Every structure is written in structure tokens, then in C-alpha cells.
């Protein structure tokens, strides 16, 4: 390394450890429309010079940068952490960076002030330095500022002016402000490499989901009739399992039986028959006219229709004959159905993402998604994304967003943590989680703290489904209605996005066999008659209304768990601006439980305050420190709003 | 983003979160010669294929890569973390990366085994797949492996062979091993970007330092006479404050007086007079012959001479006349002496690293270091590096290492954390620390845990000086001999590198005034008569011998703090291979203290074991769980070795 071959020496300013940062900048951090993005970094230099820093941000597709000042934070801890913010007012990928420079005039003024306060008398040398700085500043300034700076300069260099007046002028706030408005940034330092923030619409972060099988509700027309009621209940997303034709070959019967009876409808995930595949509708569900009408009616209520995107084909899917090269075959030419021994999925075939015509296959899959986007679908729940290549998802999601930036993707991956994290990083807007299996106080806290504070909050948006057609937990099986209620409160108040699968509101809790998480007579394999009349719906409706009215419940990273002095009670606060909620939930579906909720200093509440239970309407006097609570199976939670 | 324009689809394998990683790879991780470097990463893919991974390493200047297998670790926690290792057998910058691929034969074998164990009977389709894989493997293999694979292939494809025999052959360990020796890596995935490990000599990590002012020991000749005794005491580095001529102008008198008397020698850090500057020796200390003799004598005892590199000049330094353009001047032409109001350093001038001739200045400073390297100096203690540009240090250290890779740099920066961390990252081999000011149990643990486990262990090597000419802490002032002893034990057993400044061994503890950390009649401003006869030297000698004999004390990242049930006692274990030490130190210099040292399961010791106190020679029976200890001002520590 020879002496660096530049005219100027390398910068003295370091800009390090920028945040938010996901995998060293390989992936963008995620935010939603209208968010104020706070960025921070260590910004420092050798010596004692005063530094200035700004965050510069560039909207998607814009050529210009906007900038906002950064401020030193946590001065008492370390002193070199700076933070600034910008609002993301457009969807898409924003770029940001940090620029910092030495403020020579402020440094000089600071030193002059210290010398005066320590009693130094002869400051003529110092004043001569200041004069040079003011000459420079006057050249950069204009109008009134220029005049003010020039006047100060004249005064400082006039031998007749008393020292006292010179010092007062030099240290005056007006001069300081005038110079600060025209900074000398020609030797400023810019952070290496821009970082990215991917901005989704708010639905990617916040929403209440309801999942139903259209065939149990009278097909697409029947579903459309439920929309006003779903809107009244406060749902934002209506998720439909696959609506495509279902294969005949090896069709599954009730309770996953290997042989279906003549009238058995089969699993909607065995996609495709001779009438069509991923871009067709099951004839018994309705027509495209019905589908478009459903999307329209839902849209009028600001409800998104979420479709299932499951990349697998029944033996009767047109692709098997049109594109046999897309599927896995044995050397003897036979097709390989999907399996993970000992599990077998004899009714479906997986595509081979690495087949010779992989480009054609990938494009066809993209075309499927774009087809439904063309029918107004803006949310896709992706089935088992972890069994398909990550690079495929990164490509597909980017392509879809190029066509329509509003599209939201939910990853249904229940697998090891690294895969789940990476799917989120490469583009999935939301992700299923381990929430259903976190039942104890300690494990719930540990898991939510990880989601909210470990760095995951910058790229992983949880969707807390309380149940799914695949997951009926032992807790629900044995806990009965009080457990259904408490898990609902937990899902709806811990996570900005949560969902229930139809039947939850009716406390459906019979497994196919003891110890199984599969429902008995699962709707996956047979049609039911369903209606929106479950006894839990009033609580659902209340919670959804509370979620909409309280911004604190629309975020995850603001959660703070509170001591309860009883492990059967879990308590947490969420605060956003002036909106502070305190939730207390019993984990015991059988016995009454008493405890004390500890309000800590760091929550920033006054010594005494009033809370309103948004579920019961009651008010209580609470205070910093311990607050007595008692919950039981008939009252499973307090959702308390702090009154100011 | 169109479909990726490649013949093959993008890799299915992810290699993420590699470690060690310093600032996203901007800086190398540090290790010392002979270390086994353990690297790890998340390595995973979609689906259930068996993966293989290797770590590839490249020695400095080598063109070839060596590789070693990686293994999955912590399978129960997450399952996707892999680790591997390589030994660094040369000084300099090593490069490493990770390569991973899908093992198609192992994946097939794994699936076949699962199907057999779950009772599937017809496996003919599966066997036809295996035959194709074996054909490929046979093409890659040679010699005996090839024959073994071909024989298996013949058997698997022979219609006459019974299924049972085919299955046994397919699953046999010999076939598996033969195929594994010839992996198909043509679609392997290599981690993006190589990472670096900077390998220093062992002295950069492990060593015992002694600091003395040569003028108090009869100059360079007198110092050379002390070398055998210092070697006997177990010191590895002898650090000398500046040995250059001292300026006359504004020379400081005793106790930092603004005016020096005629016979006052001045501060060695006011470098340079009319006889020379940074490449000259103070005439009263001796000649270059004496200096070279000292380096030689020390070298014979494997002691490094550490020189001070202080970039500042007295008013009489030749550079002020030869290169006036290198110094800060006021607009009126007057020189600016060093200051940080209200502190003033009237006897020294700082250079201007950003002056017009900055290239000439930087080169001259490099030449100073190389001059002393030419005289056999391999260790530099750099004075106040945080007041000079970081880019300068990064350049200078790299340049010096290009000439001599053995040179070690110690950063004497006491400033905010970000600057201290960054100096270490850009190249300083070791760093001063906040250790002297960490006196309580809690703050000591917090600080050492940060140094050892926060990621700092990969780039920041602490040098725990128990005192310095600038730092006489209140603890030492008030704690007397027991405190000197306990702080010595802490420094020598917590940090692989530690040091004392001459006088520590004699319990020197009188400050220039109450509350000051400056010594009364500091050696910085006057010469003393010194000898190696302090009452603490026997303990120093014992500790240095214990440090050399026990590898566990030569590392930092192996420290585990132990409960003591008494905040006046601190206890910690260090383990390296079979060598486990348990240190217990009292923090109370006045009263006796009792407590229980908790031996946790994670230390991996048997339920009961014997420990030998390496300071007293006594043996004790210890066990998992609590172990009674009692220490007092006459016995301030146990340094216990676990016997196996």
C-alpha cells in the first residue's frame, strides 16, 4: 500500500455500524408506507472537532436526494452514536446513506468558548483564525446571512474594537446560526455503499385475517354474501385455500383416506384436472364473473382477497401433459409424487425447479401469479415456500412487484429458523410463525422478544394465526372456550397481523385422533356447512375494533413485557406516541389467577394514572410499581388503555 | 429482473451469517500463529437433500486453497449451523471461504433407508435412480473405489439379485465411503466474497509487560543490565517511554511545572532538540551501540523491546525548521501548540496530517518506525493514536507489516468506545483498556464479558496495565499492598497480555494531590533511582510462571465468570483443552471475605475433583455446585488448577 494516491488525504471521519442493516446490506430493511424510518450509525473522528451529519434518502426511481439532520444520541453511554429520520411516502425500494463533515467554525467557537470560560485573556491568535473561517463562510453565504457574517468579520478584525465585544460577537448565536446555514461540505464523508429500505403498503404489517374454504360457504357467490358481515367483524383479509380444479387420480378421501368415494371433493391443494390448473376455477365454486365480483365486493369494504399459491400439481393437471419436462421423473420414466418418508402425498407432483426448461417453468409460475393479480388479487399466501428454491422466490416476488408494488406475500413455512428468516429477507412480506406452539409464559416472552428486538423486526413480519386447517394444538383441544379466548387475545394484541381459520370462533377442537394436530373430519378433505355465527365472534369483533383504534397494537417492535408475580398471567405494554396499551392475559383456562402487574419506570407513565379496560369499559386506578389483577376462565384478559 | 440469464438456475444452497466477521468483512478477524481458526455459517437449502460443506483457506501469498470438511453443529437448536476449522501456520493475511454442495447419493441413500425402515416393499423405482447416481460416481472415481462402485452398480441392476441383497449393498457403509471420496461438486455453491484472518505472532496475544524510564536505571546500559532479572521475573516485553532528545523550549519541570529548572530533564514525550528528533537517541541515555546491545541482550532472553511512538514535536525538533509546512499555524504565522482546553501542552506541537505535503509527512513518520524496526524493535506502543487520523494508522501499520510482519502495535487510546474499537480493527495488534477503572465485581465482569464475547474478541486484544505513569487509581492510593496484589492477579489472569509500570512492585501510591491520578514527583518529569527490588516481585514472578505454564491463561475468549455469593469476591474459570484454571480474587483490601464459588455444569468438570492452588501449593477437594472459599488481605487470591 503506497501513500494513498489522492490529492487530499483520506477522510478523518468514520461512519460505522449503520442501522437498520440486514445481513450486511445484502437485503433491505422493511417498512410500510408513511413510516418514519430512524437510521443510526457511529459517526466520529480523531481529535475534538465538531461534526455534522445528515441522513440522505432517495425515493424509488427518484434521482434526487432529500436530507435531514442527524443528532448525537446516548451521549452518556458512548457519545458517537448518531440518529436521523426520514418518512417513506412511496412504495418500493428506498436508498439511504449518511454524509458527515467537520464544522470548522463550530469547532473554533467551541474552543474559544472553553478558553474564555477558563479565563484565558489573550485570544488574538484565536480571533485571527476565526476571521479566516468567517471569510470563507461569507463567500458561501448569501443575502442577510452574508451581511451578518461580513459585519462580524469587520468587527473581529477592527483593532479599535474591545476584546470583550469581539468575544461576544464571535460566540453570538446569530452568527453561529448564519454560518451553520451555509456549511462547508466540500470535504464531507459519505458512508460506503447505500443501504435500502423496502416499503410495502400498510397491509403487509397490520391486518386481521379470516380463512375459509369457499366450498363450505356456497362457493364464491356465497362467500361474497359474507363480506359485509366480515367487514363488520373488522377483518381486513379474507384468505381462500386453492380455488382451482381438484385432481381425480389418487384423490384423498375424508380424514386423508388414500381412496376417495365417488362424491368426495378431494383436497384443494391437489391442484388441476382436465379442465385446467393454476389459472382455472373449480367449476363448483363459480365462474370468473363470480370471482371478480367477490374481489370487487371485498374491495368496497377494503378487504383483501388472499389467494393460496401452492406450487404442486395433481396427476390430472394440464402441465403434466403439456410440460412433462417440468416434473421429477425416475430413470424408468415414471413420475415421482411428492413425499418426505414416511409422509406421502400421492395426489400431488412437485415441479423440478432445476429442470432443463427451468426458465420456462419459472416464467409460467410467475404468469400464474400475474394472472390473479390481473383479477385484483393483491395478497398471496404461499404454501410451503421452504421446499422451493430461495432464489426462485427472490426473483418471483421482485418480478411481481415490478408489475404491482401493492402485492403482499405471506410465507407458510414451518421449518428451521434459518430458512424462515431467509424467506422473509428475500422478499416475503409476512411469515407464519411458531406462535401456535408457544403456550407457556416464558416461551411466549422469549419468542416475541426475539421477533421484536433481535434484528428480526427489520425484516420478519409475523402473522399470528391462532389456528390453521393443519394446526389444532393440544392447548385448544384441552383448554376449551377460555383457551380459545385467551389465545385470540394474545394473537390479536401481540402481533400487528393475526388470523383465525373458520371454526375457531365455534371452539372446534376435536382432533382426528388423540395427540394429532389434524382436525377430525377436516375441511381439507370434505365440504361443511359453515356460517358466521360462532359464540366467539363478539370478542373477535371487539378486538379488531380495538386494534384499529389503537396505533400501539399495529406495531410489534414496541412491546415491553411486564412482571406479573404469577407465571399463569402474562402482561405486556405497547406504546406508540401517546397511545399506551397494557394487556394482561391468563394462560390458565381452568382456575382463577391473581397477580401483580409491574409498571416499570421505562414505560414513561406518570406515578398514578387511569386505565380503561377496552373489553369491559371499566376504569381502574393504576400506578408505577405493582398493580393487582385477577383473571379467570370467564374473564380471560384485560386490554387496558392508559388515559392521559 | 428477467429470468436470471444463466444456463443453470441459481444455486439452491444458502451460505449465510459467516463467522468470524468484523464489520461485514471490512476488517479481518485476528488470530495468532498456530491458532486453529474455527469458522461457522448457516448452510441450508430447500427440501431434504443431504448437504456437504468445506472451509477453504488460502495462506498469505499462496495461490492454492486448502480445504477441510465442515460439520453441522447445534442440531437440536436450529440445525443449520455448520463449523469447520483450519490452522494458521504463517503470519499475514489469510483468506477463507465456504463451499457447499448437494450430495445426491447420500440424499438418495438417506431416503431409501427411511423407506425401508417404514416398511415400503417395492423399491425398484428408487433403485433405478440409485443406479444412475452410481454410474456418475463411477466416472468420477478411480482405482479400488471405482471397482467397488461398479460392482455395486452391476449388482443393483442385475434382475437376478434378490431385493434384500440390493438394499444391503445400496445402504452399505463401504459403498457410501467410496462415493463420498469422489463428490460431484460441479454445481457447488461458494460463499459470496472471501473473508480474512490476520495472523500475528503470539506476542500480539500473550505477554507480560514491564515499563520503565531508562533515565532512572542508568540509561540504556543500565537497562541492559536489568534484562536477566526481568527474564527471571518472567517478563516478555520491556517497554521504554521515548528515548529521544527532549526539547528545551517550554520544558516542563517537576510535577508538570510550567518552568523547568536548569537541571530538570523534561518530559520524554516532548520529542526533539537541535541534536535530533524521532530517529535520535537522548545523549544521556547512551549511543546507538548501547541501544543495539540492549535489543540484542533482550532478544537473547526472548524479551521484546517496545518503543514509544509519539507523533509530536518539541519546539526544538529539527522538523519545525526543516518542514515548517507540516505543523499547524495560525493565520498570523504563529505555531499552535497542542491543547484541549483547559489542558495545554505548551512543550509540544502537533503535526497537521492534512497539510499540503501530507504525503511527505506520512512517509517521514513511516520512515521513523522503519528506522527503529531496522534496529530490531518489533513492538511499538503508540501514544494517543486517537488524536491522529484512523486512515493514517491503517496505512502505516500495513506498510510496516509489508516490511516486517512481526511488528506489534499497541494503541494507547483512552477515549470513547467507537474510536478504541476502530483503531483495533484497522490494525493495532493490542489496545489499552478501561481495566484500571473497573474496580467492582459487577463492572469487572461486564467489561471482561464484553471484551471476550461481544464480537470484540475477534479484533480487540486487551493489554491490562495495572498502572501507568499517567494512571494511579484511587483504588491503589487507598487500598495499599493488598489492593496492589489483587489488581495484579486480576490483570495477569484475566487478560492474556498485561503490564505494570515500574514502582507498582513497590506499592508506590502517592498522588500529586488528593483525587488526582498523577503520581507525586512523577517520573515523567524527573529522573529517579530505580532497582528491581520491590516486595511484590515474588508474586509477579509466580504469576508470570503460572501464565506461561497454563495455556488457559493465554486466551481471553475462554473466560467464564462464576457465582461467589459475595460481591467482594470475584471468581472465573478459564479452560483450554485439558487445562482448566479457577481464579478467585478478593476485592476487599481491608477485611476478610467468605463465599461460595459455584462450579456450573457447563464447565464440563467431573462431579468431584482436586484443585491445586498454584500460588500456595495447597490442594483442595472441589465439586460441582458451591465450594467454600475465604480470602483476606494477606491472601488475596486462589489461582487453582484443576487436576485430572
Amino acid at each position: 500500500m503506497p501513500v494513498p494516491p489522492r490529492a487530499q488525504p483520506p477522510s478523518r471521519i468514520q461512519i460505522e455500524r449503520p442501522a437498520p442493516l440486514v445481513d450486511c446490506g445484502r437485503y433491505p430493511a422493511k417498512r410500510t408506507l408513511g413510516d418514519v424510518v430512524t437510521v443510526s450509525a457511529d459517526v466520529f473522528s480523531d481529535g475534538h472537532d465538531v461534526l455534522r451529519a445528515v441522513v440522505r434518502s432517495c425515493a424509488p426511481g427518484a434521482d434526487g436526494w432529500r436530507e435531514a439532520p442527524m443528532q448525537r444520541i446516548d451521549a452518556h453511554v458512548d457519545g458517537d452514536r448518531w440518529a436521523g429520520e426520514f418518512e417513506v411516502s412511496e412504495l418500493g425500494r428506498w436508498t439511504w446513506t449518511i454524509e458527515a463533515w467537520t464544522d470548522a467554525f463550530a469547532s473554533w467557537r467551541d474552543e474559544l468558548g472553553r478558553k474564555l470560560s477558563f479565563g484565558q485573556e489573550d485570544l488574538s491568535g484565536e480571533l485571527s483564525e476565526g476571521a479566516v473561517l468567517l471569510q470563507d463562510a461569507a463567500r458561501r453565504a448569501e443575502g442577510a446571512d452574508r451581511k451578518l457574517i461580513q459585519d462580524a468579520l469587520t468587527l473581529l478584525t477592527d483593532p479599535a474594537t474591545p476584546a470583550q465585544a469581539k468575544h461576544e460577537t464571535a460566540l453570538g448565536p446569530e452568527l453561529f446560526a448564519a454560518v451553520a446555514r451555509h456549511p462547508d461540505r466540500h470535504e464531507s464523508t459519505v458512508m460506503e455503499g447505500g443501504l435500502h429500505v423496502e416499503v410495502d403498503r400498510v397491509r403487509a404489517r397490520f391486518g386481521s385475517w379470516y380463512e375459509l374454504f369457499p366450498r363450505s360457504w356456497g362457493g364464491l357467490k356465497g362467500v361474497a354474501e359474507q363480506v359485509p358481515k366480515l367487514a363488520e367483524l373488522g377483518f381486513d383479509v379474507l384468505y381462500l385455500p386453492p380455488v382451482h380444479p381438484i385432481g381425480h387420480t389418487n384423490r384423498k378421501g375424508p380424514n386423508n383416506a388414500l381412496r376417495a368415494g365417488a362424491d368426495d371433493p378431494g383436497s384443494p391443494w391437489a391442484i388441476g384436472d382436465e379442465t385446467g390448473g393454476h389459472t382455472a376455477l373449480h367449476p363448483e365454486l363459480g365462474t370468473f364473473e363470480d370471482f371478480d365480483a367477490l374481489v370487487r365486493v371485498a374491495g368496497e369494504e377494503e378487504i383483501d382477497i388472499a389467494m393460496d399459491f401452492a406450487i404442486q400439481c395433481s396427476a390430472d393437471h394440464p402441465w403434466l401433459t403439456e410440460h412433462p419436462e417440468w416434473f421429477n421423473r425416475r430413470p424408468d420414466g415414471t413420475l415421482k409424487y411428492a413425499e418426505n418418508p414416511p409422509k406421502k402425498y400421492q395426489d400431488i407432483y412437485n415441479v423440478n425447479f432445476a429442470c432443463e426448461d427451468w426458465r420456462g417453468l419459472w416464467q409460467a409460475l410467475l404468469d400464474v401469479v400475474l394472472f390473479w393479480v390481473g383479477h385484483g388479487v393483491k395478497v398471496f399466501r404461499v404454501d410451503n415456500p421452504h421446499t422451493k428454491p430461495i432464489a426462485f422466490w427472490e426473483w418471483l416476488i421482485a418480478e411481481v412487484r415490478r408489475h404491482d408494488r401493492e402485492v403482499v406475500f405471506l410465507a407458510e413455512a414451518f421449518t428451521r429458523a434459518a430458512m424462515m428468516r431467509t424467506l422473509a429477507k428475500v422478499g416475503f412480506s409476512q411469515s407464519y410463525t411458531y406462535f401456535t406452539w408457544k403456550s407457556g409464559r416464558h416461551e411466549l416472552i422469549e419468542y416475541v422478544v426475539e421477533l421484536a428486538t433481535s434484528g428480526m423486526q427489520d425484516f420478519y413480519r409475523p402473522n399470528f394465526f391462532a389456528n390453521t386447517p393443519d394446526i389444532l394444538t393440544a392447548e385448544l383441544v384441552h383448554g376449551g372456550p377460555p383457551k380459545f379466548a385467551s389465545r385470540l387475545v394474545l394473537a390479536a394484541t401481540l402481533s400487528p397481523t393475526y388470523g383465525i381459520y373458520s371454526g375457531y370462533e365455534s371452539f372446534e377442537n376435536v382432533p382426528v385422533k388423540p395427540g394429532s394436530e389434524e382436525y377430525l373430519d377436516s375441511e381439507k378433505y370434505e365440504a361443511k356447512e359453515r356460517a358466521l355465527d360462532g359464540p366467539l365472534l363478539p370478542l373477535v369483533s371487539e378486538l379488531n375494533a380495538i386494534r384499529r383504534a389503537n396505533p400501539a397494537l399495529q406495531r410489534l417492535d414496541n412491546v415491553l413485557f411486564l412482571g406479573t408475580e404469577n407465571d399463569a398471567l402474562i402482561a405486556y405494554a405497547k406504546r406508540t406516541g401517546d397511545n399506551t396499551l397494557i394487556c394482561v392475559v391468563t394462560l390458565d383456562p381452568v382456575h382463577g389467577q391473581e397477580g401483580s402487574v409491574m409498571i416499570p419506570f421505562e414505560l414513561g407513565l406518570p406515578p398514578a394514572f387511569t386505565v380503561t379496560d377496552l373489553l369491559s369499559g371499566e376504569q381502574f386506578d393504576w400506578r408505577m410499581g405493582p398493580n393487582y389483577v385477577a383473571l379467570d376462565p370467564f374473564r380471560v384478559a384485560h386490554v387496558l388503555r392508559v388515559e392521559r
Side-chain angles (χ1 to χ4, degrees), chain A residues 6 26 63 67 84 180 295 463 478 499 505 508 558 615:
Chain A
R6 311 189 224 180
R26 163 76 178 81
D63 352 287
E67 66 179 44
V295 171
N463 187 331
H478 303 294
E505 66 272 24
E508 287 187 8
N558 58 349
L615 294 175

Side-chain angles (χ1 to χ4, degrees), chain A residues 336-408:
Chain A
K336 289 187 70 169
Y337 55 72
E339 59 180 337
N340 180 17
K343 287 193 206 161
K344 298 182 181 192
Y345 307 94
Q346 296 94 336
D347 55 345
I348 52 173
Y349 293 85
N350 286 329
V351 298
N352 178 359
F353 283 89
C355 66
E356 212 160 306
D357 183 36
W358 63 275
R359 282 198 197 78
L361 169 65
W362 290 30
Q363 185 64 47
L365 292 167
L366 171 60
D367 289 343
V368 166
V369 177
L370 293 179
F371 175 87
W372 293 107
V373 171
H375 281 276
V377 176
K378 299 290 179 82
V379 180
F380 292 87
R381 176 270 196 195
V382 176
D383 193 68
N384 277 332
H386 57 291
T387 59
K388 286 89 188 171
I390 287 166
F392 167 75
W393 294 120
E394 186 164 24
W395 170 80
L396 179 122
I397 293 171
E399 275 299 285
V400 172
R401 287 184 173 155
R402 211 160 57 83
H403 283 77
D404 188 334
R405 190 56 196 76
E406 296 207 337
V407 179
V408 167

Side-chain angles (χ1 to χ4, degrees), chain A residues 111-127 161-168:
Chain A
E111 200 174 301
L112 186 76
R114 281 195 281 162
K115 286 179 178 176
L116 264 173
S117 71
F118 290 114
Q120 185 170 333
E121 291 182 1
D122 178 10
L123 291 165
S124 54
E126 282 77 3
L127 289 174
T161 309
Q164 171 77 5
K166 288 184 177 180
H167 301 160
E168 276 169 20

Side-chain angles (χ1 to χ4, degrees), chain A residues 42 58 64 102 115 245 292 339 343 374 398 431 436 463 494 512 515 553 560 574 581 600:
Chain A
D42 292 344
C58 181
T102 299
K115 286 179 178 176
D292 294 342
E339 59 180 337
K343 287 193 206 161
S431 308
T436 39
N463 187 331
L494 278 170
V512 67
L553 293 181
L560 179 71
K574 285 188 156 196
L581 268 72

